[in-house]
Amino acid sequence: IIAQNKVEELFPNDTGTPGILVFHNENGDVRIDEVKQILSGIIAEDIEGIEQIVDITAMPEQALAAFTSEDKTTMIVPMNLEAGLGNSAYAHINDKASEIGNDIAKDLETDFYITGPAGIAGDTTKLFESADLKLLFATIGIILVLLIVIYRSPLLAFIPLFATIIVYQVVNQSVALMGAGGLEINNSTTSIMSILLFAAVIDYSLFVFSRYREELNHYEDKYEAMKYAMRATGEPVVFAGGTVLAAMLVLFFADFRDYQNFAPIFGLAMFIIILASVTLVPALFTLFGRKAFWPKVPKFGEQKEVKHGIWGPIAKFVVNKPGLSGGIVALFMLITSLNIFNLDYEFDSVKSFPEDLPSRVGYEIVEQKFNKGDLAQTTVILEGVDAISEEETQAFLDKLASYEEVGSIRVSGITEDEKAVKYTVSLALNPYSVEAIDFMEALRNETDTIVEDLGLSADVYYSGITMKLVDERDVNNGDIIKIVILETLLILVLLLVLTRSIKMPIYMMATILISYLSALGLGIFLVDVLFGYDAVSTRVPVYAFVFLVALGIDYNIILVSRFLEERKISNVKAALEIAIRNTGGVISSAGIILAATFAALTTMPIADLFVFGFMVAVGILIDTFLVRGMLLPALILFFEKDK
């Protein structure tokens, strides 16, 4: 950022976002006359927001060789957009230029694409706009089917969904107001927010109507029944939602701005979700009363024996064989956790796009036909105390050119007082690759020595996509440690308040952390084997941690709360069996729906969200069935002694 500001200060006319116009003939040599025809049409339109397109139409033929690939099949022409435009403006400019270019190209042999940072940013915006609608319908469809299958009542499916849609609109407009107030809103953030919203409202609705159904057997008046239902469920719902809210607000302490911006959006969403869960949701269920449960309508005075299905036998097995059940789960989670050492990061965001997206097609043509570094060049500023001589300018250029990772370097600007020189560098590597990031980080670290060896009294600044990725990786690694520590301490304090115990919060938190590592390790393995993703975005482990810890602790809280309630009248073993048996059904139902809701992100055509959704779904299932059902009870039996 410092380097980018220096570029803007010293060379103010070169601060726009670059793009690349790609002209390609897959059947032979690219036709120069056709390229000029397409280019002339775009330039003549004078599209608002385009600062400059290199006009090759007036250039002599020998000069065009610099824009043409070695095999003569492709030409690239640089474009620069005006500074200060947002991604939506990039999308509009790309659409307009693509429409003109492709309209001309449809009768020609030449294919036309827009790529580079401007093309990629524009396509990203459009991709999310179309994908978000698909995600919304997929989420509603999944939840609707699961609710009907699990509870066999149409109204029990539609009432929570109706509440969720109302909450969705309120949250969406509230977030829009925050955006109007100046908050940067990331596309992926709003997609994840909508999933959290659906998952949380449905989750809390399950707890409310499960208790409401029970109270309708005890009270004839539907209003009275809901009053007692909310006395029992209101506090746990607020506590569970508050835990998630607090976990989201921890992101305020991150250094990476994307994470910081995540906090107010998710904090506001969770606040509205909690409010709706104790007002709107019970109001809607009360409005429908007993009809909500049709065809299995609960009748006043009718006491049915509670069926515990599979959770009765599981509870008995776990409390009688805690070493076996807990040991098998602990071993499984330990083995899967070890796979986190195979975690590799992917910085090439274009590779996460659909293969037929124009900016990706153009990107891969440039990557194949030209020097890979041309995809996103690096700008280097050499700023001296005094005027920099031609010899010093050349000596610094020669030094950088001597690295085999540098494909080409040229002087692209000198200030009037000759105290600063700008170099444009194209790496021999893909500028988004880990190898390029490692090289630029090493080069920056060596720069003081280079300047000293050349006898220069100057500062050096590196800016561009690759250097931003160097800093992003460093900041992200620091943020992971910071978020894990703060989140762990926060949850421990909340559990301490809930359980009024020193030991129990420690092993409750330990199970959540090992559950996260297991989900991450197993997720890395499965997305590679099943879907071919051998690396993940730096954001995936951070977001997965925040969600799995915040949501996973809810189910542990429900189990432990019931255990502590039963512990007042029973010994540890009996209290635990009752707790597992009685919370198993509603938690497993909620866990399946929650996991399926996050799995809806796998409908997104963006790999980052696909992988994130898949990993969180895996983690929730591990937590719901293995941690809450077996590992945590085994630890409670081991550590909690009868008094």
Side-chain angles (χ1 to χ4, degrees), residues 337 484 488 508-518 545 549:
S337 296
V484 167
T488 301
M508 283 177 73
M509 194 65 218
T511 61
I512 291 295
L513 293 176
I514 190 69
S515 174
Y516 164 71
L517 293 175
S518 174
F545 177 80
V549 169

Side-chain angles (χ1 to χ4, degrees), residues 381-421:
I381 300 290
L382 180 68
E383 185 181 29
V385 177
D386 303 309
I388 300 170
S389 67
E390 283 187 28
E391 291 78 13
E392 290 171 329
T393 301
Q394 187 62 40
F396 186 72
L397 184 148
D398 291 341
K399 178 60 182 176
L400 293 190
S402 68
Y403 289 94
E404 62 180 30
E405 292 88 352
V406 173
S408 65
I409 178 171
R410 60 186 173 85
V411 174
S412 53
I414 300 175
T415 55
E416 285 186 15
D417 60 6
E418 297 183 349
K419 287 185 177 181
V421 181

Side-chain angles (χ1 to χ4, degrees), residues 531-550:
F531 311 112
Y533 295 118
D534 55 1
V536 302
S537 162
T538 53
R539 292 164 177 74
V540 168
V542 176
Y543 289 158
F545 177 80
V546 171
F547 278 91
L548 286 175
V549 169

